[in-house]
Amino acid sequence: MAAEHWGMGFNKRKLEDQRRQAAQKEAANRAGLIEAKGMTNHPGFFEGTGMPDPGWWEALWPDPADVLTKVGLKSDMDVIDLCAGDGWFTLQIAKIAGHVTAIDIDEKLLQTTRTRLADAKQSNCTYVEGNAYDIATLIDRQVDFVFLANAFHGVPDKLRLARAIESVLKPGALLVIVNWHVLRREQTTVLGEPRGPATALRIGPEAVELAVRQSQLRSVRTVEIPPYHYASIFQKGPVSTN
Ligand SMILES: C[S@@+](CC[C@H](N)C(=O)[O-])C[C@H]1O[C@@H](n2cnc3c(N)ncnc32)[C@H](O)[C@@H]1O
């Protein structure tokens, strides 16, 4: 009898373990789908721009400050980190620049950013929840630098966003768009797993330039960010004096 009881307990535990493993697998799969395809509840959320889990994001971007310096971020700049996510880049922008405004559609991620910067005793940041398309109404001044990383590929109307960003840039100010290169998702592995947006969503530097061409932003240069990214750098032309 005792052995039978023990056997039933063992089976129950085994079943519970199997259920837990299935739930974990399902959660991991959902996270992958959010990251790759953009499954989320936020209306207006750009496709395939879910914030990845921090483990591999930090492995992929071990030195975000170096990336920012390479793309032209300077001290004293007034910066917008557009689609800021959990603040992995925002913190480094705050350390280098004069001020940073973190904008994201997901208030939970903004809270993570707020905590990250508070823990680092960084107080030169403002946090704004909203849709990137509405950038002109989310900020009350023009800035020196807009940083948009890992989101442009999923923007349905890229010219609309470029024009909105242009309106908040001072003459001569920079827009930096960091994107995944056009590689098959299976090729862009980090910590042994395929990562990043779905293959079909990825766009190269030429396509970014084409999308932005009809705005008043002019392409300045493209910077390689190994292993899988590039940065397209645009500048707002000076205001005409005519
Ligand atoms: C892949 S994450 C990248 C975060 C950060 N830029 C980085 O590279 O670490 C993309 C972010 O875009 C945000 N996002 C998606 N659609 C948006 C929209 N329409 N307006 C503002 N933020 C949006 C998501 O909430 C997410 O935090």
Side-chain angles (χ1 to χ4, degrees), residues 43-199:
F45 195 92
F46 298 145
E47 196 180 353
T49 63
M51 187 70 222
D53 89 68
W56 75 260
W57 202 238
E58 292 168 16
L60 176 62
W61 302 105
D63 193 353
D66 181 56
V67 173
L68 293 162
T69 310
K70 269 190 190 151
V71 299
L73 184 69
K74 303 244 166 23
S75 60
D76 298 333
M77 280 182 163
D78 189 7
V79 181
I80 296 174
D81 187 4
L82 191 59
C83 303
D86 70 358
W88 184 243
F89 284 99
T90 319
L91 173 59
Q92 302 308 319
I93 295 172
K95 286 184 178 175
I96 298 169
H99 186 272
V100 56
T101 304
I103 297 179
D104 203 284
I105 204 164
D106 185 332
E107 79 288 351
K108 287 205 186 87
L109 287 171
L110 270 184
Q111 188 49 46
T112 307
T113 300
R114 196 189 296 269
T115 306
R116 190 194 287 281
L117 271 83
D119 288 350
K121 311 239 175 311
Q122 214 57 59
S123 58
N124 55 341
C125 187
T126 309
Y127 307 88
V128 181
E129 182 191 335
N131 192 320
Y133 281 142
D134 303 327
I135 188 169
T137 58
L138 299 173
I139 185 130
D140 59 1
R141 62 186 182 284
Q142 290 188 317
V143 299
D144 304 296
F145 194 101
V146 171
F147 185 70
L148 175 61
N150 300 298
F152 198 63
H153 61 265
V155 178
D157 188 342
K158 294 177 173 59
L159 178 59
R160 175 181 167 196
L161 183 61
R163 284 189 167 139
I165 293 171
E166 177 200 315
S167 73
V168 302
L169 289 174
K170 294 176 189 168
L174 298 179
L175 162 64
V176 173
I177 298 175
V178 174
N179 265 336
W180 290 81
H181 267 299
V182 182
L183 293 166
R184 280 183 293 110
R185 191 165 190 266
E186 308 86 90
Q187 292 175 281
T188 54
T189 58
V190 184
L191 301 181
E193 295 286 336
R195 311 288 189 177
T199 309

